[in-house]
Amino acid sequence: MIKTIGIVAALLASTTSALLMSATARAGTIASGVLLVGSDQTYPPYDYIDGDNKPAGFDVEFMTAIAKAAGLTAKFLDTRFENLIIGVGGDKFDVIASTLYVKPARAQQIDFIPYMKTGVSIAVSANAKRKPVSPEDLCGLKVSSIKSAAWTANLQEVSQTTCTTKGLGQIDVREFPTSPEATQAVLSGGVDAQMEDSAVLKQAATATNGKIVISSTSTLYPVIVGLGFKKGNADVKKTVTDAFEKIKANGEYDALLAKYNVSGATDGEFKQAVSGTN
């Protein structure tokens, strides 16, 4: 009897192992059993290194849950924002999870899975004389931003169509490798304002003890945020899609949205973002 139980246990273990190996093989990930995630870990509260020198934030918690649901282990590769699309295209990692806004130009380079909706704000030094509320208020000012940000094109359009035509001076966008460096430029007086994701700016205002303040009064340029995949990498995308459905069903996803005070994206909003009609 004991021998029979042992044989059955061995068969079950073998079957389970085979199923896990099969699932991993179907995942199509670069490293077997591992989901390599590219993220710029200088971007709290979405992506950052915590006091224990470990990746933390919304994207980290989200992708850890996704990987677990897929039977994989998440590994995060700190990559500057401007290099993320190049990195996933060059097989440096399997997926981008770094608050990457969905834009038509980006959708031509990578495939997306939408997972969050957010927007941007404007911040200035607490003692600044000008407190811009809207992008049009930035005419004639120097504005810092993380490099390759989606809103740079919006600012350039406002600069050309509004600022220049009204003789108010162009918006001088100064790009920096990381968001903290863009914030530091405001603190040092090198620029007049910073445009950044609303949650990131709120975190920066807290971290600087109110030395910078958010001057805009509403969320600007509402956007859809997506996970990014190499074009044609259907296996990894399907693996993540299936895992995403699992954490939606078990409540993990909704709990995470509530924790970080962000919202999910609808299919309609995603289609508008990809087409550029939003």
Side-chain angles (χ1 to χ4, degrees), residues 147-230:
K147 192 171 184 180
S148 300
W151 53 81
T152 301
N154 298 98
L155 289 181
Q156 290 171 342
E157 182 179 358
V158 171
S159 183
Q160 294 170 5
T161 60
T162 300
C163 303
T164 302
T165 57
K166 293 184 177 180
L168 300 174
Q170 294 183 346
I171 300 174
D172 183 1
V173 179
R174 307 287 180 90
E175 295 185 301
F176 294 83
T178 68
S179 182
E181 289 175 272
T183 300
Q184 184 57 43
V186 177
L187 293 171
S188 67
V191 299
D192 304 297
Q194 179 183 5
M195 180 167 276
E196 183 53 270
D197 178 276
S198 299
V200 174
L201 276 187
K202 182 179 179 181
Q203 179 84 8
T206 301
T208 60
N209 295 316
K211 291 180 180 178
I212 70 165
V213 296
I214 295 175
S215 57
S216 51
T217 55
S218 62
T219 300
L220 307 171
Y221 305 135
V223 290
I224 304 304
V225 177
L227 302 176
F229 302 84
K230 180 179 179 179

Side-chain angles (χ1 to χ4, degrees), residues 20-272:
L20 287 174
M21 289 178 64
S22 177
T24 300
R26 288 197 302 272
T29 53
I30 295 168
S32 179
V34 178
L35 185 65
L36 295 176
V37 184
S39 65
D40 187 334
Q41 293 166 16
T42 65
Y43 209 59
Y46 298 113
D47 304 90
Y48 63 98
I49 302 298
D50 66 14
D52 295 322
N53 202 34
K54 295 180 179 179
F58 177 89
D59 287 327
V60 173
E61 291 187 49
F62 177 66
M63 292 311 299
T64 298
I66 287 285
K68 183 179 179 180
L72 302 169
T73 300
K75 181 178 180 180
F76 298 88
L77 303 180
D78 188 16
T79 305
R80 294 293 72 81
F81 190 82
E82 64 197 270
N83 296 319
L84 287 169
I85 291 178
I86 296 172
V88 79
D91 293 324
K92 299 297 183 184
F93 33 83
D94 300 301
V95 55
I96 301 168
S98 195
T99 324
L100 187 66
Y101 292 3
V102 176
K103 293 287 183 179
R106 289 175 177 169
Q108 292 178 7
Q109 298 174 282
I110 57 176
D111 289 329
F112 278 109
I113 293 177
Y115 67 104
M116 185 175 66
K117 182 167 61 177
T118 184
V120 300
S121 297
I122 300 169
V124 296
S125 172
N127 57 10
K129 293 181 179 179
R130 288 179 62 175
K131 299 288 198 299
V133 172
S134 68
E136 289 74 18
D137 294 333
L138 296 172
C139 295
L141 299 183
K142 295 188 290 291
V143 181
S144 65
S145 170
I146 190 172
K147 192 171 184 180
S148 300
W151 53 81
T152 301
N154 298 98
L155 289 181
Q156 290 171 342
E157 182 179 358
V158 171
S159 183
Q160 294 170 5
T161 60
T162 300
C163 303
T164 302
T165 57
K166 293 184 177 180
L168 300 174
Q170 294 183 346
I171 300 174
D172 183 1
V173 179
R174 307 287 180 90
E175 295 185 301
F176 294 83
T178 68
S179 182
E181 289 175 272
T183 300
Q184 184 57 43
V186 177
L187 293 171
S188 67
V191 299
D192 304 297
Q194 179 183 5
M195 180 167 276
E196 183 53 270
D197 178 276
S198 299
V200 174
L201 276 187
K202 182 179 179 181
Q203 179 84 8
T206 301
T208 60
N209 295 316
K211 291 180 180 178
I212 70 165
V213 296
I214 295 175
S215 57
S216 51
T217 55
S218 62
T219 300
L220 307 171
Y221 305 135
V223 290
I224 304 304
V225 177
L227 302 176
F229 302 84
K230 180 179 179 179
K231 283 285 187 182
N233 196 349
D235 287 342
V236 172
K237 187 178 179 184
K238 186 178 188 309
T239 295
V240 172
T241 299
D242 292 345
F244 193 4
E245 292 303 316
K246 289 180 181 178
I247 67 169
K248 285 180 181 177
N250 67 20
E252 287 183 82
Y253 176 60
D254 285 341
L256 198 55
L257 293 177
K259 177 179 177 179
Y260 285 88
N261 195 30
V262 292
S263 58
T266 67
D267 289 339
E269 289 170 331
F270 174 59
K271 290 176 181 178
Q272 287 181 332

